[in-house]
Amino acid sequence: MAESFDALVIGGGAAGLMCAIAAGRRGKRVLVVEHANRVGKKILMSGGGRCNFTNTGATPANYLSANPHYCKSALARYTPADFIAMVERHRIAYHEKELGQLFCDDSSKQIVRMLLDECADAGVRIETSCAIERVRHGDATFHLDTARGSFTASALVVACGGLSIPSMGASGFGYELARQFGHSVLPTRAGLVPLTLSGKHQERLADLAGVALPVEARCNGSAFRNFMLVTHRGISGPAILQISSYWNPGDDLRLDLLPGDDAYAWLQTQRTERAATELRNVLAERIPKRFAQRLCEHWFSSKPMRQYRDAELREMAALLADWPLVASGTEGYRTAEVTLGGVDTDELSSSTMQSKRVPGLYFIGEVVDVTGWLGGYNFQWAWASGHACGNAL
Ligand SMILES: Cc1cc2nc3c(=O)[nH]c(=O)nc-3n(C[C@H](O)[C@H](O)[C@H](O)COP(=O)(O)OP(=O)(O)OC[C@H]3O[C@@H](n4cnc5c(N)ncnc54)[C@H](O)[C@@H]3O)c2cc1C
């Protein structure tokens, strides 16, 4: 005999747990089915173990989607202030790191604990290590056959997340289910991910792995000013992770190595004020020394500043302000924080997250084609979409 619930939630991650809490609070009998041995694994590893659980400045402009309007309704109805209120109710200490990013002072375990306590209060049942064998639909009822028995409900919420970090339980199951029920899935790719370099950039930069510098990274009309980190295989750091979500193979990627400055005016000033100093030493005051030296070995020739003609300064300034880098690819899902693309929002209701094709079927969180920037935006989408769905079940 299958056990009956009001709603079955597949995936005990950020979105699934929030959805279950909202529905449970409204008296719904909810079962969360999680195939990993514990819920919230990505929450645990997020934010370097301190979970960047929201961003106080989150707006729809911080999300990528084929339909940029889709996320608006849910984000407006469950705001960062709503999640902060829950965090404060549970007396979890937190701080703002930069740019509205809120982190736990202590550990991301506190966020998982909070969600589990809220689930318990709301009467939500959670089954972990529960592999799903089959999902069926008939007579307006969803049937789940799992390693821990069979369950039925009139509502099924797909909250399986994306493909990033398979070792943490990520699977393509949400996309498979979407297709099983006739939904379109937009092409997926790794986002918020380090980029790999090849050819001369790789050869010239690889041994600088570990060097970090502020840059403005630009691609396809988007720009992010933050740190870049050189890695053994390419480049990473917040500026690169952000721009990686806007980059497709073959796209032009540019770096401003003197962000916020007029490179030509700066070089002219250096020529006037430090005429006898060599370029490599001048640059080393703005850019990490090893990186500056490498630029002078391969891209510029270093000589005392007074020896540069205006045209040479202009050429160098152009390169410093708009350095073209040819990325060969990304590090892929193994290290990506998110998956871009996913279940097409055109076939979902933006207020309830319900399928327009199959009544009672819902998609929330990362499995949907809504992807946030780095900095707490992805969890805010998970909370907001989970909350919208939980209140509609
Ligand atoms: C290393 C890392 C750090 C991150 N740090 C941050 C951060 O600090 N701030 C931020 O906003 N975002 C961060 N993110 C992104 C954030 O974790 C995700 O956007 C968010 O977890 C998505 O929530 P979700 O509930 O949709 O998916 P998930 O949290 O991935 O949850 C999906 C759940 O479904 C389960 N599942 C999958 N397949 C099945 C199946 N077949 N049957 C049953 N269960 C299944 C998974 O095991 C998982 O528990 C980070 C991501 C990574 C990888």
Side-chain angles (χ1 to χ4, degrees):
M1 261 296 276
E3 249 186 288
S4 168
F5 290 84
D6 293 319
L8 302 171
V9 178
I10 303 182
L17 293 175
M18 180 55 89
C19 169
I21 292 164
R25 275 188 199 146
R26 294 173 46 248
K28 300 288 172 186
R29 287 168 305 124
V30 184
L31 172 69
V32 176
V33 178
E34 168 59 57
H35 72 162
N37 60 352
R38 61 193 300 183
V39 297
K41 282 195 174 183
K42 272 200 193 157
I43 301 174
L44 291 174
M45 73 189 297
S46 68
R50 290 215 162 89
C51 186
N52 177 195
F53 54 80
T54 192
N55 192 299
T56 54
T59 73
N62 306 116
Y63 295 86
L64 293 87
S65 172
N67 176 2
H69 302 293
Y70 181 76
C71 61
K72 287 183 178 173
S73 168
L75 288 174
R77 284 178 296 134
Y78 192 83
T79 65
D82 292 317
F83 193 77
I84 293 166
M86 189 192 279
V87 166
E88 289 180 351
R89 230 177 26 249
H90 286 257
R91 299 180 188 285
I92 299 173
Y94 64 91
H95 60 278
E96 179 175 342
K97 204 164 165 189
E98 54 170 330
L99 309 166
Q101 301 170 9
L102 302 190
F103 288 76
C104 298
D105 284 358
D106 188 11
S107 162
S108 41
K109 285 183 193 156
Q110 295 171 292
I111 298 293
V112 175
R113 185 71 266 152
M114 172 185 85
L115 295 169
L116 284 174
D117 287 348
E118 289 278 336
C119 279
D121 269 3
V124 172
R125 181 160 140 204
I126 298 174
E127 289 287 348
T128 52
S129 301
C130 187
I132 295 170
E133 286 150 10
R134 198 156 57 129
V135 179
R136 291 173 292 133
H137 182 231
D139 299 333
T141 304
F142 294 91
H143 303 258
L144 283 194
D145 295 323
T146 79
R148 293 179 175 270
S150 295
F151 307 102
T152 65
S154 56
L156 179 70
V157 181
V158 181
C160 301
L163 295 164
S164 341
I165 324 271
S167 57
M168 284 293 129
S171 75
F173 191 61
Y175 308 121
E176 280 168 40
L177 277 180
R179 291 191 190 98
Q180 175 183 332
F181 287 106
H183 275 264
S184 320
V185 176
L186 299 179
T188 53
R189 61 178 218 278
L192 300 181
V193 63
L195 296 175
T196 52
L197 300 174
S198 61
K200 70 172 189 229
H201 280 106
Q202 158 69 2
E203 284 161 28
R204 293 173 181 181
L205 296 181
D207 69 316
L208 299 184
V211 172
L213 62 156
V215 299
E216 182 173 283
R218 303 187 198 115
C219 185
N220 289 324
S222 293
F224 292 92
R225 199 177 285 183
N226 209 314
F227 277 86
M228 170 180 97
L229 174 73
V230 181
T231 69
H232 290 290
R233 298 184 57 201
I235 46 175
S236 184
I240 301 304
L241 297 180
Q242 296 280 32
I243 208 68
S244 72
S245 295
Y246 292 83
W247 180 86
N248 283 290
D251 285 349
D252 194 30
L253 177 68
R254 303 276 168 152
L255 299 181
D256 184 345
L257 299 174
L258 295 177
D261 266 329
D262 177 336
Y264 180 57
W266 180 75
L267 286 170
Q268 277 183 312
T269 307
Q270 302 308 307
R271 185 176 59 184
T272 310
E273 293 177 358
R274 310 177 61 198
T277 311
E278 279 217 18
L279 174 69
R280 82 160 72 88
N281 296 327
V282 166
L283 277 180
E285 284 171 20
R286 294 296 307 274
I287 295 173
K289 193 171 171 190
R290 289 171 64 205
F291 200 94
Q293 276 174 346
R294 194 55 50 90
L295 283 177
C296 291
E297 280 161 28
H298 295 289
W299 284 275
F300 312 131
S301 59
S302 185
K303 54 188 178 183
M305 291 304 293
R306 75 161 72 84
Q307 294 180 17
Y308 287 103
R309 289 174 289 112
D310 273 344
E312 286 175 294
L313 288 193
R314 274 197 194 285
E315 220 173 278
M316 282 195 300
L319 207 55
L320 286 169
D322 203 31
W323 198 40
L325 263 193
V326 182
S328 56
T330 76
E331 295 272 359
Y333 293 118
R334 194 178 51 81
T335 56
E337 275 201 16
V338 285
T339 303
L340 290 149
V343 179
D344 191 346
T345 58
D346 278 356
E347 296 160 352
L348 303 176
S349 153
S350 63
S351 58
T352 63
M353 315 284 129
Q354 186 168 197
S355 161
K356 292 178 185 170
R357 290 180 170 274
V358 183
L361 179 66
Y362 298 77
F363 293 90
I364 56 173
E366 197 178 322
V367 73
V368 177
D369 171 37
V370 174
T371 307
W373 289 1
L374 184 77
Y377 302 98
N378 283 295
F379 279 136
Q380 189 56 36
W381 168 246
W383 315 136
S385 58
H387 192 262
C389 174
N391 278 310
L393 290 171

